[in-house]
Amino acid sequence: MASFSKLLFALLAWTVSLVLAVQNVKVQGSDYVNNVTSDRFQIIGVAYQPGGSAGFVAGSGVDPLSNGTFCLRDAALMQRLGINTIRVYNLDPSLNHDLCASIFNAVGIYMLLDVNSPLPNESLNPGDLTSSYNSAYLNRIFAVVEAFKNYPNTLGFFGGNEVIQAPGTGGTVPPYIRAVTRDLKNYIAKNSPRNIPVGYSAADVRDYLADSFAYLSCDIDGDSSDKSRIDFFGLNSYSWCGGDATFQSAGYDILVEMFSNTTIPIFFSEYGCNEVKPRVFNEVQALYGPNMTGVMSGGIVYEYVQEASNNYGLVDVYDNGTAAIRGDYDVLQKQYNKLDIKALQSGNASATALKSPSCSADLITEAGFAKSFKIPSVPTGGQSLIDNGIKNPNVGKLVPVTQTTVQVDVYGSNGGLIKDLAIKPLPQDRSNTPNGQDTSGSASPSGTSTGAKPKSTSGVGRSSFNVLLGSFALAAFAVLYV
């Protein structure tokens, strides 16, 4: 009987690991809201692209969400930081992302995913739109949908990033962005178990910004169900620089006015100017304060991992998998800890008060920006992919997270080893929030012989990360998600 009880307990533990999935977040007017609790969801996010675009190599078998050991390490640090969303730019849809997606799901962190990559034929070419918009390209972006559609913490897909920014692109690119948006949304409608929002991430080029938003968010022929209309609008903004910047000097007041009549969620898809060092991140209080939350839905700090080519990182990572917190992490954590989370989750009465405008040339103000709303037809072979699904898709699924303790050493900004670093799985209706922690403050210099940060060490073995799947757990998963 004792053995049977132990077995039953183990099986139930497996089941619980599957049940603890975040609730889907949906678009409701100009807000994101929890699909079950109806709490407003404000993005408190970070860009997550270890190695940058140069770190994404086709055929390497590696992308930011393919290594469970590293995702566990980063999820534990992000959970302490207070992050509830990551943005991932470059993904290989043929890889297995189940463990990483499940780890982030367990700690209440959602994923915003770019469907394009910098590789040939995996993004629109502004200089050759007709040729680059083809069925092979559609197969690529649909493969990303297949890989992530079943994860409940998939928050949305970016159909494009800063494609409209150089002179001339405003006249030619916008119809193609709407075409890609239409194709993605139609594919999701036919091949995904739930609706997943599709949006665009814009460069903060003021000559094109208002027109980009107006062009992409209006209803063609007044049809509110128009599939080519974006579901959300991201803005990569670096205008707030240093501790002396203000709401007015950074132009945030202009942005609030510009988007005051929005009918879709708008957020900073990147922010965090580093022209003044160290960064103080006092724009956090403005972004999540009363002057902006009526219009904006939060933002994503650039970026989590320090790259050799810039100085934006919150964390240094090393070849052997160890990591060290940078000073920017500590400063950002203190800013997040000041936020009034209950106020941020409260409803926005004006979120559904407005109706999206009908598309017309009158919406466009800049000369040379597209004023025709004739959208390119689906390329040859593309409609078959939408109707029947792509061949042999790699479809992701949640798996049990059986390891919660981080398996590699992580150091605080003071050089001390952070002991007992682990993720703390959350109840299924909760997203992660800032929680008052001081991650570097918990690091003890006595945890390492020198108190120094680790050095880059190539060739050191990476700790294994085991996932247990039993027939009982799989059955429970099937019951839960049928």
Side-chain angles (χ1 to χ4, degrees):
M1 179 63 70
S3 297
F4 176 78
S5 297
K6 290 180 180 179
L7 176 61
L8 180 60
F9 180 81
L11 292 175
L12 287 173
W14 284 354
T15 305
V16 168
S17 69
L18 290 168
V19 169
L20 296 182
V22 297
Q23 304 289 1
N24 300 146
V25 169
K26 66 180 180 179
V27 170
Q28 184 172 291
S30 61
D31 281 351
Y32 287 109
V33 297
N34 184 293
N35 202 34
V36 174
T37 67
S38 295
D39 287 342
R40 190 181 183 192
F41 180 83
Q42 283 270 317
I43 293 172
I44 304 174
V46 66
Y48 186 56
Q49 190 68 37
S53 59
F56 179 67
V57 180
S60 66
V62 176
D63 74 8
L65 298 177
S66 63
N67 187 307
T69 300
F70 296 165
C71 287
L72 181 67
R73 172 199 66 199
D74 297 334
L77 290 175
M78 290 181 195
Q79 186 175 30
R80 289 189 175 199
L81 180 59
I83 292 299
N84 66 18
T85 305
I86 56 174
R87 178 184 180 180
V88 187
Y89 298 82
N90 303 317
L91 291 158
D92 183 343
S94 69
L95 300 182
N96 189 321
H97 304 105
D98 291 347
L99 186 50
C100 282
S102 299
I103 290 169
F104 285 114
N105 169 82
V107 297
I109 294 177
Y110 292 81
M111 303 180 295
L112 277 169
L113 309 163
D114 286 67
V115 298
N116 300 284
S117 93
L119 300 178
N121 303 315
E122 295 191 356
S123 62
L124 289 178
N125 179 357
D128 190 7
L129 290 164
T130 303
S131 296
S132 60
Y133 178 55
N134 54 46
S135 61
Y137 167 67
L138 292 184
N139 195 91
R140 147 73 195 189
I141 64 176
F142 295 162
V144 175
V145 172
E146 290 286 355
F148 289 91
K149 67 183 184 181
N150 283 343
Y151 303 134
N153 56 328
T154 295
L155 182 59
F157 297 108
F158 285 110
N161 177 61
E162 297 192 347
V163 191
I164 307 168
Q165 58 172 316
T169 58
T172 57
V173 170
Y176 283 87
I177 297 297
R178 288 198 71 130
V180 171
T181 302
R182 173 200 63 203
D183 299 342
L184 281 167
K185 291 170 73 170
N186 280 331
Y187 189 90
I188 290 168
K190 286 181 175 289
N191 298 282
S192 172
R194 67 179 176 94
N195 179 51
I196 303 173
V198 176
Y200 177 71
S201 177
D204 191 0
V205 180
R206 297 296 168 95
D207 289 344
Y208 304 110
L209 187 58
D211 286 345
S212 295
F213 172 72
Y215 189 96
L216 298 175
S217 64
C218 62
D219 296 330
I220 294 179
D221 297 327
D223 181 3
S224 61
S225 63
D226 177 12
K227 292 291 188 183
S228 72
R229 175 179 181 259
I230 56 172
D231 297 314
F232 60 86
F233 187 78
L235 170 61
N236 299 338
S237 178
Y238 294 87
S239 62
W240 188 300
C241 294
D244 293 332
T246 66
F247 185 73
Q248 289 76 23
S249 69
Y252 280 19
D253 57 336
I254 297 173
L255 293 177
V256 169
E257 177 63 26
M258 181 184 296
F259 299 125
S260 59
N261 291 324
T262 183
T263 57
I264 59 174
I266 298 177
F267 57 92
F268 286 155
S269 41
E270 291 176 10
Y271 76 96
C273 173
N274 69 351
E275 291 180 6
V276 179
K277 303 182 183 67
R279 291 191 285 182
V280 295
F281 289 113
N282 54 340
E283 68 264 47
V284 166
Q285 303 311 313
L287 179 58
Y288 298 99
N291 287 333
M292 296 192 75
T293 52
V295 174
M296 304 289 288
S297 292
I300 296 171
V301 168
Y302 193 83
E303 64 179 321
Y304 180 76
V305 174
Q306 173 72 0
E307 296 183 44
S309 60
N310 63 33
N311 197 32
Y312 286 97
L314 304 179
V315 175
D316 286 311
V317 297
Y318 301 93
D319 294 345
N320 63 346
T322 59
I325 290 172
R326 295 169 60 85
D328 279 3
Y329 176 105
D330 296 333
V331 174
L332 183 60
Q333 186 175 51
K334 290 176 182 178
Q335 292 287 0
Y336 283 156
N337 285 341
K338 298 177 185 178
L339 298 180
D340 185 343
I341 299 302
K342 288 186 177 180
L344 292 177
Q345 292 176 339
S346 61
N348 177 11
S350 64
T352 58
L354 299 175
K355 183 182 183 300
S356 52
S358 296
C359 296
S360 72
D362 295 340
L363 296 175
I364 308 303
T365 60
E366 289 293 322
F369 201 92
K371 294 186 178 181
S372 169
F373 291 89
K374 183 178 180 181
I375 308 302
S377 300
V378 179
T380 302
Q383 193 60 49
S384 177
L385 297 177
I386 293 171
D387 293 338
N388 304 310
I390 64 173
K391 293 182 179 179
N392 302 316
N394 174 37
V395 182
K397 64 181 183 301
L398 283 187
V399 296
V401 177
T402 61
Q403 176 67 267
T404 58
T405 302
V406 173
Q407 301 294 290
V408 293
D409 288 340
V410 178
Y411 298 82
S413 60
N414 61 1
L417 181 68
I418 300 174
K419 296 182 178 180
D420 304 319
L421 183 62
I423 62 170
K424 297 180 180 179
L426 299 177
Q428 66 183 44
D429 61 345
R430 287 184 55 191
S431 59
N432 193 46
T433 58
N435 46 44
Q437 293 201 46
D438 177 7
T439 307
S440 285
S442 68
S444 172
S446 63
T448 176
S449 59
T450 65
K453 295 179 182 179
K455 295 181 179 180
S456 179
T457 307
S458 299
V460 178
R462 294 174 177 174
S463 301
S464 62
F465 189 86
N466 297 319
V467 177
L468 300 177
L469 278 173
S471 58
F472 184 88
L474 287 173
F477 183 88
V479 170
L480 181 63
Y481 287 98
V482 165

